[in-house]
Amino acid sequence: MNVKDFDYELPERLIAQDPLEERSASRLLMLDKHTGEIRHRIFGDIIGELRQGDCLVINNTRVIPARLFGMKEETGAVIEVLLLTRKEKDVWETLVKPGKKARPGAVLSFGEGLLKGTILDVVEGGNRLIRFSYEGIFEEILDRLGEMPLPPYITHPLQDKTRYQTVYAKYDGSAAAPTAGLHFTERLLEEIRAKGVEIADITLHVGLGTFRPVKEDTVENHHMHSEFFCIEEEAAEKINRAKREGRRVICVGTTSCRTLESVADAQGLVKAMSGWTEIFIYPGYRFKCMDGLITNFHLPQSTLLMLVSAFAGKEAVLSAYQEAVREQYRFFSFGDAMLVV
């Protein structure tokens, strides 16, 4: 399967640069994966599309302000560090720019020495392992010095850090937001619960691999990045009860989908567990657990677009994207949403 089969034309003006003032005011394109029928709504209307008894699966990861700007102590050269994965208490795998100035042994300083980092090693992909030293609490220092790691296609500064978090964000660890969840408000979630929809919280810490392009020409040759997930007992029970009773399991975002599909058995049942997943879902994949998907509009030739295409069919999805372009939908992280059922 050729990666170019998942290409589409997108005018740059349709890439959303800023979040809407009201989260649930974004638009919602609804795609029937069985018939290909398309309908247009506002995201707040999604409550009318959910049924009593549905199980809505949300990803409660929290984005950390993972982008740090500092300097090399030895030379004063400006350097940028992006925190990717915590390896142990104060050791992180990071992306450093410019890389040629980031050799093992180099000491980096941030916030006039409030935070320091020593480069330990160069690992796969040119990433650096850095051990940080500081006085106090690392997370508080990071909140003070760090910036949100917005995707490269967003060029506007983010005025409010909370707008790159879901309202239900709980556990620190993501380098990118699970953006399908950005459309929900506390009030909308309360209305959804009041309708009799169960909400199951799971965690997948989103890595920057989410934004990396597929460099292989053939889809099957692409290797997915690894991301940490956790499904707790309460969430597993809600999901399994819905599957056993024939009720729909609807994932909010591709991250929730990848988590469930990583652990589901042939009957679509999941276990309470934690671990790392590298699951790559593309057309031909047979879904075991997910019955519906709420998602944003994804980059051309991306693994996320391939996942949605696996669920609803490539032709139907690309047709829906063409319709979204015609209707001037807003695309990508701060853009509009799709509901696929």
Side-chain angles (χ1 to χ4, degrees), residues 74-91:
E74 185 181 359
T75 64
V78 175
I79 206 151
E80 176 185 347
V81 171
L82 194 59
L83 305 181
L84 299 177
T85 307
R86 193 176 219 150
K87 294 300 186 180
E88 41 186 277
K89 184 177 183 293
D90 291 320
V91 177

Side-chain angles (χ1 to χ4, degrees), residues 105-123:
V107 177
L108 313 178
S109 178
F110 309 92
E112 297 181 344
L114 187 64
L115 177 68
K116 292 190 177 184
T118 302
I119 298 175
L120 303 179
D121 199 4
V122 180
V123 296

Side-chain angles (χ1 to χ4, degrees), residues 293-308:
L293 176 65
I294 298 168
T295 187
N296 278 20
F297 292 93
H298 303 296
L299 275 72
Q301 301 185 29
S302 65
T303 60
L304 306 182
L305 179 55
M306 293 171 194
L307 184 153
V308 180

Side-chain angles (χ1 to χ4, degrees), residues 2-16 29 153 295-306 308-309 314-326 329-333 335-336 338:
N2 198 299
V3 170
K4 292 181 180 177
D5 292 341
F6 298 89
D7 200 11
Y8 67 92
E9 292 293 328
L10 179 69
E12 189 173 338
R13 58 188 167 76
L14 296 184
I15 299 174
L29 185 150
Y153 48 76
T295 187
N296 278 20
F297 292 93
H298 303 296
L299 275 72
Q301 301 185 29
S302 65
T303 60
L304 306 182
L305 179 55
M306 293 171 194
V308 180
S309 297
K314 178 169 66 74
E315 289 74 18
V317 169
L318 290 179
S319 177
Y321 271 52
Q322 290 170 0
E323 173 80 357
V325 170
R326 284 194 295 271
Y329 273 66
R330 302 165 74 246
F331 277 66
F332 307 159
S333 294
D336 297 317
M338 290 181 69

Side-chain angles (χ1 to χ4, degrees), residues 15-305:
I15 299 174
Q17 292 294 327
D18 304 287
L20 295 180
E21 184 174 343
E22 171 62 31
R23 290 176 183 261
S24 60
S26 53
R27 297 170 73 186
L28 179 68
L29 185 150
M30 294 186 292
L31 172 62
D32 187 317
K33 72 186 186 75
H34 303 289
T35 67
E37 179 191 1
I38 293 172
R39 291 182 291 144
H40 302 284
R41 293 288 187 274
I42 298 300
F43 192 85
D45 298 333
I46 200 168
I47 191 167
E49 304 301 320
L50 298 174
R51 304 172 188 164
Q52 181 179 0
D54 282 345
C55 181
L56 197 66
V57 182
I58 61 176
N59 181 5
N60 60 15
T61 187
R62 186 174 183 273
V63 186
I64 60 174
R67 179 169 274 122
L68 291 163
F69 293 92
M71 65 178 191
K72 275 185 69 177
E73 281 201 339
E74 185 181 359
T75 64
V78 175
I79 206 151
E80 176 185 347
V81 171
L82 194 59
L83 305 181
L84 299 177
T85 307
R86 193 176 219 150
K87 294 300 186 180
E88 41 186 277
K89 184 177 183 293
D90 291 320
V91 177
W92 286 77
E93 182 174 344
T94 69
L95 179 65
V96 179
K97 296 180 182 177
K100 64 182 179 180
K101 296 181 180 179
R103 298 192 175 114
V107 177
L108 313 178
S109 178
F110 309 92
E112 297 181 344
L114 187 64
L115 177 68
K116 292 190 177 184
T118 302
I119 298 175
L120 303 179
D121 199 4
V122 180
V123 296
E124 183 181 358
N127 294 342
R128 266 64 174 174
L129 287 183
I130 296 181
R131 183 184 301 279
F132 289 97
S133 58
Y134 50 89
E135 291 185 6
I137 299 172
F138 180 77
E139 287 74 15
E140 292 181 357
I141 293 171
L142 195 60
D143 276 337
R144 179 174 169 183
L145 299 182
E147 296 182 6
M148 281 299 189
L150 294 178
Y153 48 76
I154 293 178
T155 58
H156 291 187
L158 183 62
Q159 302 300 323
D160 178 0
K161 283 185 181 181
T162 66
R163 293 310 307 275
Y164 197 56
Q165 302 279 16
T166 62
V167 296
Y168 46 77
K170 187 176 182 181
Y171 298 114
D172 285 347
S174 276
T179 55
L182 296 179
H183 307 283
F184 287 93
T185 64
E186 294 282 9
R187 179 177 177 180
L188 180 56
L189 288 169
E190 288 172 10
E191 292 174 351
I192 287 170
R193 289 189 183 96
K195 186 171 182 175
V197 175
E198 279 201 294
I199 298 180
D201 290 54
I202 58 93
T203 306
L204 181 136
H205 292 320
V206 189
L208 275 191
T210 258
F211 302 123
R212 285 182 177 150
V214 177
K215 294 181 179 178
E216 303 285 350
D217 293 331
T218 303
V219 170
E220 293 84 351
N221 290 341
H222 176 68
H223 178 70
M224 284 290 285
H225 57 290
S226 184
E227 294 169 318
F228 179 81
F229 72 87
C230 178
I231 302 176
E232 296 183 351
E233 191 66 47
E234 182 182 357
E237 288 176 2
K238 288 180 179 179
I239 294 161
N240 291 341
R241 192 162 55 242
K243 294 305 290 184
R244 290 190 179 106
E245 295 175 3
R247 297 184 277 115
R248 299 187 302 181
V249 172
I250 298 175
C251 290
V252 178
T254 57
T255 60
S256 298
C257 167
R258 293 180 66 243
T259 303
L260 297 195
E261 294 296 321
S262 292
V263 302
D265 64 17
Q267 285 72 48
L269 304 180
V270 302
K271 292 180 180 179
M273 62 182 295
S274 62
W276 295 82
T277 179
E278 297 179 353
I279 189 171
F280 181 20
I281 297 175
Y282 53 87
Y285 179 84
R286 295 180 68 86
F287 287 83
K288 297 171 287 186
C289 186
M290 184 175 74
D291 302 302
L293 176 65
I294 298 168
T295 187
N296 278 20
F297 292 93
H298 303 296
L299 275 72
Q301 301 185 29
S302 65
T303 60
L304 306 182
L305 179 55

